[in-house]
Amino acid sequence: MMTIQTYEVVVLETSDLHGFVRPRSYATRDEVGHGLARIASMVREIRRAQPNTLLIDNGDCLQGTPLTYYHAKVNSEPANPVIACMNELRYDAAVLGNHEFNYGLPYLQSAVEASAFPWLSANTIDTVTGEPLFGKPYIVRELGNGLRIGILGLTTSYIPNWEQPQHIAGIRFDDPVEAARRWVGILRNEERCDVVIVSYHGGFERDPVTGAATEPLTGENVGYAICEQVDGIDVLLTGHQHRAIADCSINGVCVVQPANEGRFLGKVTLRLEESGSGWTVTDKRSELIAAADYRPDEAVEQLVSGVEAMTQTWLDLPIGHVEGDMTIASHADVRLREHPLIEFINRVQMEVSGADISNTALFDNLSPGFGERITMRDIVTNYIYPNTLKVIRISGQDIRQALEKSAEYFALNSQGEIVVSPAYLAPKPQHYNYDMWEGIEYILDIARPVGQRVTKLERNGQPIADGEIFDVVMNNYRAGGGGNFTMFQNKPVVKDIPIDMVELLADYILARGRITASVNENWRVAGGVK
């Protein structure tokens, strides 16, 4: 009688940590229920119970908090705090995310060299060697009794639409679906893997249950296509969209996505049997474990305590004062009528660039605005991305199309009130894809059909013609067409300002000492019940 062996393997995933280690808000210093320190406690607990555990980071770990900004831009002498924590937790591998490139290749290279684990991305190609960047498309882990598990890394190929060209010079981003098809075949046929796990820094372009498209099919997210079109995958680890997805499969592939900033740990449990002819996966399931249920790990907190203390001192440096009120009482109101903070950011962009027209966004619903006394903490809390500026040359028609795109952010509810369109809230909040402009006068009427909402578009009191040409300053993400602002793609770059907006804002305030809160009311949103 043949003996059947059974085996259980646990795969743990973090994704989109964005440098969030200690569970405290950088804006308020209050304790929060997420962060890598809390994740660390559950990783250690799971490993004690299940030794056959693999730990993978799915990308976007190196950027996103004042801690990572301070280390990348102000003082890189201490050990990279995120990498130090990941080394402590003995990650098996990490995948390149799009935000890994934000601080440039030298910084990314230094992080990779400091890592005690490999960085994977089969479709991120060094154009000189023709090989995957940093040389690793996959790893193979051999566990007990000859069980072989292959882990393939993939990265969203949409990065050139957002990232500064100098940060990705000499790099090609291939189609993740094609790359998966090639490398999964190698893992199955040449590496003889019994289990294949794909860790893809990207999300789902379709509803995982119904298959209905949930966003424009630009190629930014192709998780559903990977599951449908590539044979031989057992598990797909995903991210990028900051969604919480578990207990779900697509075409027999077990999928998971653990939100962002260490809110959840993704856990996949695989059960296998071996009866003499190789291992077979008999069961697989995914779940999310909430970080809020765990205390922070003391060892991880201690690892970052030094650079964290330096970051906090830097954040509390006073740089100026505000005359008037630049605080935010309602994030919704900021997007409906001009606010002094948005006016100020646009004015800074115009002054440092020399452009007469500017646009910017209120990136999230956490920005507090500026109080009477401004510190570096206020700057990085309100301007959370490491954006730089570009001045691009566009037409009046491009401006109108961009305003119509921004107007899609709004909808009317059943009571006729202006609300955020559901498409901008799920599957991921996209408040950063609604722009507000300075240097032009306009009205958006939300009672009108989508695509016909710009009812006024003027400059200096005169209607803007479609064929007129203007130089407009905006952040590098938007200038590349990020957020599906395709009208900006491939437009002539009049000026490139490769200095972070955080630095530009701080320098502007430092040079003046005092700024004034004001608005000129050059735009408004209309059409809803008052």
Side-chain angles (χ1 to χ4, degrees), residues 493-505:
V493 177
V494 177
K495 186 180 292 186
D496 187 356
I497 303 170
I499 302 172
D500 281 5
M501 269 299 290
V502 165
E503 188 175 340
L504 290 172
L505 290 168

Side-chain angles (χ1 to χ4, degrees), residues 183-194:
W183 291 101
V184 169
I186 290 173
L187 286 170
R188 285 290 185 186
N189 301 319
E190 298 180 21
E191 294 285 2
R192 301 295 179 186
C193 290
D194 303 288

Side-chain angles (χ1 to χ4, degrees), residues 152 175-186 225 229-231:
L152 175 69
D175 178 10
V177 179
E178 291 301 317
R181 189 175 288 117
R182 174 193 174 191
W183 291 101
V184 169
I186 290 173
Q229 299 176 27
V230 182
D231 294 330

